[in-house]
Amino acid sequence: MIEMDMLDKPIKLPFFNRSMSVKSVLIHGLYWILITGFFIYEKKYLIYKASMPYFVACVSVRVLLLVLIGYLNLQYFLPQYLLKKKYLAYFTAVTFSVFGYLIIQSLFDFYLYGYVVGPIRNSRLMESLSYNFFSTLWYLGLMLALKLSLDWYEQQLVIQKITLEKLNTEVDFLRAQINPHFLFNLLNNLYALTLKKSDQAPYVVLKLSEMMEYMLYDSADEKGALEKEVAYLNNYMDLERLRFSHAAAIKLNVNTPIDGYQIAPLLLIPLVENAFKHGLSQQSENAWLTVNIALSGSTLFFTVENSKSPLPHHKIKGGIGLGNLRKRLELLYPNNHQLLLEDKGDNFSAKLIIEL
């Protein structure tokens, strides 16, 4: 099987200071094979009416002249004149090349059919000129259509590549924003525990180490294992349980098997982080948070529900996580996700549905 990189490799064209990809060369080659096959079928009677050498000469002259005039137009006249808006020069060059082709081809036909084949066809030069003129325009039109089609296709590939690189760059930028933002919150949690001189500090450091390993080595990939993402989420919630102690009921429920599924890394944490930051952190008692994860086929249902104070609070600095989540969903799962947020006064619900 030919690798796609090999098909895109450029090849230097003889007689022209230009290159074509292997893919384009193969397409052009197939085009000329079809044209040659048509002439072989059309002129096969010459084998019997004249001889094999005249048959070969007839087909070869037609194909070689069309190749010459076709690539003069595509590789020289088009870029040198038409693309530079030198329309008169382009029209003049094409006209002279067509007339040059007509003279050579019509003289050859006049000799072949008038003196070699005999009365099988009318040997009048004007009829030969007329036939060759319209057939030349037809084949030049096909060549130009082929050229424009290939250029459009390659342009679309370039646009697609640039778009993909732009999306990947933006996703990497958003991920780079998430990591320090999230680490900032974790260090605040660890700082609170050290102030209390908690014996669970080593446990916290171990959890933090596991999380940092995921952030450093797994989150750089475009997609990773869903079970690792959930394990990362569970570690984060374990750290928050230590901070809130018995003041909050914090639960993570995985309701279906999640092995074998892939998801963009660090996509779930912003909703949970948002629930702690704007919900539980603003309450002194009866706080709760429940996270539910379920799969139906390849559709992920991720729900975060948390208690919140019904009283208005001053706006907290930040808000990076949720804004980045929206952007990443638009980039990574366009038209394949839903993010539903609902403020119910004394509790808040966030539901994320993704077609993995």
Side-chain angles (χ1 to χ4, degrees):
M1 184 176 179
I2 300 176
E3 296 289 340
M4 290 304 296
D5 291 341
M6 290 295 295
L7 293 178
D8 293 328
K9 184 178 179 181
I11 295 178
K12 179 74 174 178
L13 296 177
F15 311 113
F16 297 101
N17 188 26
R18 296 175 65 84
S19 299
M20 291 177 66
S21 66
V22 174
K23 186 191 302 179
S24 295
V25 170
L26 291 175
I27 293 173
H28 279 261
L30 178 61
Y31 170 80
W32 287 114
I33 288 173
L34 293 174
I35 294 299
T36 304
F38 170 76
F39 282 134
I40 289 173
Y41 177 79
E42 185 188 31
K43 305 298 182 182
K44 65 181 184 297
Y45 63 86
L46 289 174
I47 299 174
Y48 310 103
K49 297 296 182 179
S51 64
M52 179 62 74
Y54 283 109
F55 163 73
V56 173
C58 179
V59 173
S60 299
V61 168
R62 286 186 178 278
V63 173
L64 290 176
L65 286 174
L66 284 174
V67 168
L68 177 62
I69 192 175
Y71 287 108
L72 271 175
N73 180 41
L74 295 185
Q75 301 298 329
Y76 188 77
F77 299 152
L78 202 66
Q80 290 297 321
Y81 302 127
L82 186 61
L83 297 183
K84 294 180 180 179
K85 298 183 178 180
K86 299 178 180 179
Y87 301 117
L88 181 60
Y90 175 74
F91 177 77
T92 303
V94 170
T95 300
F96 273 106
S97 66
V98 169
F99 275 110
Y101 168 82
L102 288 177
I103 292 171
I104 297 172
Q105 183 63 61
S106 297
L107 287 173
F108 180 82
D109 289 348
F110 180 75
Y111 166 76
L112 178 64
Y113 294 109
Y115 294 96
V116 177
V117 178
I120 190 170
R121 284 188 57 180
N122 196 321
S123 61
R124 285 182 296 179
L125 186 59
M126 288 306 298
E127 287 197 4
S128 182
L129 283 170
S130 176
Y131 169 80
N132 287 318
F133 176 74
F134 288 108
S135 64
T136 304
L137 291 183
W138 169 253
Y139 291 116
L140 282 179
L142 286 178
M143 279 291 293
L144 186 60
L146 179 64
K147 165 72 173 175
L148 295 177
S149 297
L150 287 174
D151 286 351
W152 177 85
Y153 174 73
E154 291 182 357
Q155 185 181 39
Q156 293 303 307
L157 290 181
V158 171
I159 292 174
Q160 186 180 27
K161 183 178 179 180
I162 292 173
T163 301
L164 182 61
E165 289 176 353
K166 180 178 181 294
L167 293 181
N168 289 337
T169 300
E170 188 165 352
V171 168
D172 289 340
F173 174 72
L174 294 178
R175 186 187 292 122
Q177 281 188 309
I178 290 172
N179 289 353
H181 172 58
F182 183 55
L183 181 61
F184 175 79
N185 283 350
L186 282 176
L187 290 176
N188 275 343
N189 294 349
L190 183 57
Y191 176 70
L193 289 172
T194 54
L195 285 180
K196 298 177 183 177
K197 302 186 185 300
S198 172
D199 294 334
Q200 294 178 313
Y203 175 78
V204 172
V205 173
L206 179 61
K207 288 286 184 182
L208 181 58
S209 174
E210 291 176 355
M211 296 177 71
M212 290 299 295
E213 181 180 8
Y214 179 75
M215 293 169 69
L216 290 173
Y217 299 109
D218 294 315
S219 69
D221 297 329
E222 183 178 346
K223 287 189 177 181
L226 178 58
E227 56 264 32
K228 287 188 176 182
E229 179 80 0
V230 173
Y232 175 80
L233 191 64
N234 187 56
N235 282 336
Y236 172 78
M237 294 179 69
D238 281 346
L239 292 176
E240 291 287 15
R241 285 189 187 96
L242 292 174
R243 183 164 73 100
F244 283 93
S245 186
H246 300 292
I250 301 170
K251 297 179 182 179
L252 171 62
N253 302 316
V254 181
N255 302 315
T256 54
I258 58 175
D259 296 346
Y261 290 90
Q262 300 277 308
I263 192 172
L266 303 177
L267 200 65
L268 304 181
I269 189 65
L271 293 179
V272 178
E273 187 182 24
N274 191 67
F276 278 110
K277 186 174 183 180
H278 300 291
L280 278 66
S281 296
Q282 307 300 317
Q283 295 177 274
S284 58
E285 58 182 13
N286 298 323
W288 57 270
L289 169 68
T290 302
V291 176
N292 288 297
I293 300 173
L295 281 165
S296 177
S298 60
T299 304
L300 173 68
F301 295 89
F302 181 70
T303 305
V304 180
E305 295 180 284
N306 62 276
S307 60
K308 60 182 286 288
S309 174
L311 300 176
H313 290 271
H314 67 279
K315 188 175 181 179
I316 303 173
K317 288 176 63 178
I320 294 175
L322 194 57
N324 281 356
L325 173 63
R326 294 182 186 277
K327 291 182 180 179
R328 293 189 71 201
L329 287 170
E330 291 172 2
L331 293 172
L332 297 170
Y333 299 95
N335 303 318
N336 285 319
H337 74 274
Q338 293 183 64
L339 179 58
L340 309 173
L341 306 178
E342 186 178 3
D343 190 342
K344 302 176 183 179
D346 60 349
N347 68 83
F348 190 86
S349 172
K351 187 173 185 179
L352 176 60
I353 305 172
I354 305 176
E355 186 67 33
L356 299 177

